[in-house]
Amino acid sequence: MEGTPAVALDGVGKGFPGPGNAPPFPAVDRLTAEVGAGRLTGLVGPDAAGKTTLLRLMAGLMVADAGRMRVLGHEPGAEPIRGRVGYMPQSFGLYEELTVGENLRLYADLHGLPAAERPARYDQLLHFAGLGPFWDRRAGRLSGGMKQKLGLACTLVQPPDLLLLDEPTVGVDPLSRRELWSIIYQLVDDGLSVVVSTAYLDEAERCQDVVILHEGRLLHQGEPADFAERARGRTWTLEGLPAEGRRGILARVARQGDVADAVAQGGHIRVLAAQTGQPPARPDGIPAEAAYQPVAPRFEDAFIARLLANAQGTKTDEASSGFADHVAGKPGQRQGPAIDIRNVRRTFGAFVAVDDVSFSVSPGEVFGLLGPNGAGKSTLIKILCGLLPASAGSVRVAGVDAGQAPAAVRARLGYMAQQFALYGDLSPRQNLRFFARAYGLRGKAVSQRVAWLLEEMQLEAVAGAPSRQLPLGYKQRLALANAVLHRPDIVLLDEPTSGVDPLARRAFWRRINQLAEAGVTVLVTTHFLEEAEYCDRIGIIYAGELAALDGPDALRARFADADNPEPTLEDAFIALIEQYREAAA
């Protein structure tokens, strides 16, 4: 890279003690790389790749065990660069009881910003982040997207020369994610050096440079487009498929020996072939008009291919063939919907969180519940679980009234919360044994069930470690294991893959698809709209109201036009929400 880099790493290493009696493991392993000055650099890698550790080393919050690091020409944390490096952690680090204005004033005090400069700086940041109307609102009452924008605004109270952002868009809806990236681009245009770690590979593709890590080691550094070319000749789409049964076709394609990876995309199936130059074989039982078409490679294709090659594997992880048999309930032949919501309303004082929502979900259906942060999705899921009563309307789950018999409802469904909700001081094995007993399992059945889930979810290596110490992907696997522990008829998943890497996301959805094929009903919320392609139907909630209810193909078709004849679900989602915002303005 030309000029003096913003960050220079030469053989940098950082290790941590292993869980239990395990040997120490290197979070960052002999890493040599550079971050260009005035450029946007994406820090990419699967869970436990070392991204957060590397950012903390750059910020001077940790000290390297080995190697040499220079940040803005100095040792990390040195006096000459204090105040010149801004760091925004992955978790929300502000005071939720303080208002937006009070948090900004606190950061101004910490940075020693002169009083005369503060009013103009506050106005600039509030306008920049779109938080002007929320000066007196407590931070804890902001939506996920607004919290992230407030965190970024506080980091910028004293403008830094180097900005470090640790997965700033995790848990943020697509519209807020787009707004955050507009802010990041503007910062780079203003001359800042920005390093952003991300689990979203479409975001990595927007960066000027990428640093790809795996198990603490450097896999690649360079421009995203150059890296994507490594998958040239291996990327195809299977087109001409019917909407009905597409998920089953995807599962068959993914199992083929000549396919390295397969995902749903825009009504098609996107395939990464195991070999270069020829499409995979046609799966059995597809329409005659369905055919493979070559497509340009994406960054994500090359990323998946590189990780598989690094692991000396040929496929992304998938559940065992007996997964659904072990975890699915016995839905039976009862007539009627698995979930039936009629005119549900939920208020908190004068605030209406859910407003006259009605829909039903059939047995074995995968139903996606989408919406911006603060739309009411999590509130509705808590009502379904019997954790929160509806203010009006009726909710029936597996034929049981959730308001009248919440304990009976909870026995029929599995719930995976948006935030990790298991006991952090207990190990995965201890958590599963505890909840197995809570669900009524006894004796040998507990040990057998827990042992099988630890093996199936690939948690055996960390089964004795405190759950709070697990990487995010492992926590998500543990939470899913807990949700299906008692073989439920219905599974509710609240943003289950938020922040996890693409390999973990694919493995997660393979298991969900197997559950659906076994007759288990799945209701899922997500901000990663490519996942919504796996759903049979989608309900979009905005400001507590049901704004749309349809299949993925029909929702995309609603917003197709001459400028965008094949919109993605994310395009359709953003267009719909913008329509509702304009109507409300």
Side-chain angles (χ1 to χ4, degrees):
M1 295 182 183
E2 297 181 0
T4 302
V7 180
L9 310 168
D10 184 9
V12 171
K14 179 66 180 179
F16 296 99
N21 296 320
F25 68 94
V28 176
D29 191 4
R30 295 167 291 174
L31 185 62
T32 297
E34 289 186 354
V35 172
R39 292 179 69 81
L40 174 57
T41 300
L43 193 56
V44 188
D47 297 316
K51 303 185 296 294
T52 294
T53 299
L54 183 56
L55 287 175
R56 289 176 177 173
L57 289 170
M58 292 179 184
L61 300 175
M62 290 181 176
V63 178
D65 299 330
R68 185 169 183 265
M69 177 184 293
R70 308 293 284 180
V71 176
L72 301 176
H74 298 271
E75 295 290 331
E79 185 63 36
I81 60 170
R82 247 176 227 171
R84 295 177 61 198
V85 178
Y87 172 63
M88 181 175 161
Q90 189 176 128
S91 58
F92 185 64
L94 304 183
Y95 292 95
E96 298 207 352
E97 293 305 310
L98 298 184
T99 65
V100 167
E102 288 167 342
N103 270 293
L104 284 170
R105 283 196 290 264
L106 174 62
Y107 269 71
D109 291 340
L110 293 173
H111 285 285
L113 189 68
E117 299 178 17
R118 294 189 183 193
R121 186 62 180 162
Y122 294 156
D123 287 345
Q124 182 184 26
L125 290 170
L126 291 170
H127 175 74
F128 187 58
L131 292 170
F134 307 103
W135 175 265
D136 292 319
R137 180 174 294 187
R138 288 184 180 179
R141 292 186 56 212
L142 297 175
S143 69
M146 286 195 285
K147 282 182 177 179
Q148 295 299 79
K149 286 188 278 189
L150 175 59
L152 184 54
C154 288
T155 305
L156 298 172
V157 163
Q158 185 72 278
D161 296 320
L162 172 65
L163 181 60
L164 309 173
L165 305 174
D166 194 0
E167 300 198 11
T169 59
V170 166
V172 173
D173 68 73
L175 196 56
S176 296
R177 192 155 66 99
R178 188 175 68 172
E179 292 168 350
L180 273 166
W181 272 92
S182 296
I183 293 172
I184 292 170
Y185 286 141
Q186 186 174 334
L187 292 171
V188 176
D189 289 342
D190 291 342
L192 261 68
S193 305
V194 178
V195 181
V196 54
S197 72
T198 179
Y200 296 102
L201 296 190
D202 63 316
E203 293 183 347
E205 209 159 15
R206 302 175 193 175
C207 297
Q208 295 168 304
D209 302 301
V210 288
V211 173
I212 303 176
L213 302 179
H214 180 58
E215 295 180 348
R217 296 182 180 179
L218 180 70
L219 288 187
H220 174 82
Q221 178 169 12
E223 296 183 6
D226 292 341
F227 183 70
E229 282 299 310
R230 297 185 176 199
R232 176 69 64 180
R234 294 180 60 184
T235 50
W236 307 82
T237 56
L238 182 56
E239 303 181 5
L241 298 171
E244 293 292 327
R246 192 181 297 155
R247 192 171 60 241
I249 296 172
L250 172 61
R252 295 203 301 275
V253 170
R255 287 194 292 266
Q256 291 181 191
D258 55 358
V259 170
D261 181 52
V263 293
Q265 182 193 24
H268 314 305
I269 294 176
R270 187 181 183 93
V271 174
L272 176 68
Q275 302 296 327
T276 301
Q278 60 183 17
R282 283 169 53 92
D284 295 333
I286 65 171
E289 61 270 19
Y292 280 108
Q293 300 293 333
V295 290
R298 302 181 302 181
F299 179 87
E300 182 166 328
D301 300 315
F303 179 83
I304 295 294
R306 183 67 180 86
L307 288 187
L308 292 176
N310 195 67
Q312 298 183 331
T314 58
K315 281 190 168 310
T316 50
D317 173 56
E318 62 180 280
S320 69
S321 58
F323 173 74
D325 294 335
H326 280 82
V327 299
K330 306 295 181 185
Q333 302 299 317
R334 184 186 52 78
Q335 299 297 312
I339 296 172
D340 191 40
I341 295 173
R342 293 293 156 210
N343 307 111
V344 167
R345 180 180 175 87
R346 173 66 202 197
T347 59
F348 297 93
F351 175 69
V352 180
V354 178
D355 191 5
D356 197 27
V357 169
S358 297
F359 64 85
S360 62
V361 184
S362 301
E365 183 177 7
V366 179
F367 186 89
L369 190 62
L370 311 182
N373 296 113
K377 304 183 301 296
S378 294
T379 299
L380 191 55
I381 282 189
K382 289 176 182 176
I383 293 172
L384 282 169
C385 291
L387 299 175
L388 194 66
S391 302
S394 67
V395 175
R396 299 189 72 82
V397 178
V400 180
D401 190 315
Q404 297 296 320
V409 164
R410 287 194 286 271
R412 301 290 297 275
L413 58 79
Y415 173 50
M416 183 173 168
Q418 185 175 351
Q419 302 295 329
F420 185 68
L422 305 185
Y423 293 101
D425 291 332
L426 298 184
S427 67
R429 180 178 286 108
Q430 290 168 331
N431 265 300
L432 291 176
R433 289 184 67 87
F434 172 81
F435 282 100
R437 292 190 180 95
Y439 283 125
L441 277 67
R442 295 291 182 267
K444 184 184 289 187
V446 173
S447 298
Q448 292 176 340
R449 188 88 179 129
V450 169
W452 184 85
L453 281 167
L454 290 173
E455 179 183 3
E456 172 66 24
M457 297 293 185
Q458 299 178 352
L459 292 168
E460 290 175 303
V462 295
S467 296
R468 57 181 163 75
Q469 294 181 1
L470 299 180
L472 179 59
Y474 285 82
K475 287 181 177 178
Q476 301 293 71
R477 276 187 246 163
L478 175 58
L480 178 60
N482 188 70
V484 299
L485 186 61
H486 57 302
R487 306 188 70 178
D489 300 336
I490 301 165
V491 179
L492 306 181
L493 308 169
D494 196 0
E495 296 187 30
T497 61
S498 181
V500 302
D501 65 73
L503 290 179
R505 196 180 301 130
R506 283 158 167 74
F508 186 94
W509 273 96
R510 280 174 175 70
R511 293 184 170 96
I512 295 307
N513 289 337
Q514 285 192 12
L515 284 174
E517 289 172 6
V520 176
T521 304
V522 180
L523 187 148
V524 58
T525 74
T526 180
H527 288 316
F528 191 77
L529 291 208
E530 285 194 12
E531 291 185 343
E533 295 284 0
Y534 295 99
C535 299
D536 298 302
R537 285 186 305 144
I538 295 167
I540 299 179
I541 290 185
Y542 178 69
E545 299 181 6
L546 189 64
L549 179 62
D550 220 326
D553 290 351
L555 282 172
R556 283 192 304 271
R558 281 178 58 178
F559 296 95
D561 55 30
D563 294 330
N564 190 4
E566 294 188 4
T568 65
L569 272 179
E570 183 164 319
D571 295 331
F573 175 89
I574 290 173
L576 179 69
I577 298 305
E578 287 181 336
Q579 282 184 0
Y580 269 75
R581 285 186 175 180
E582 289 171 6

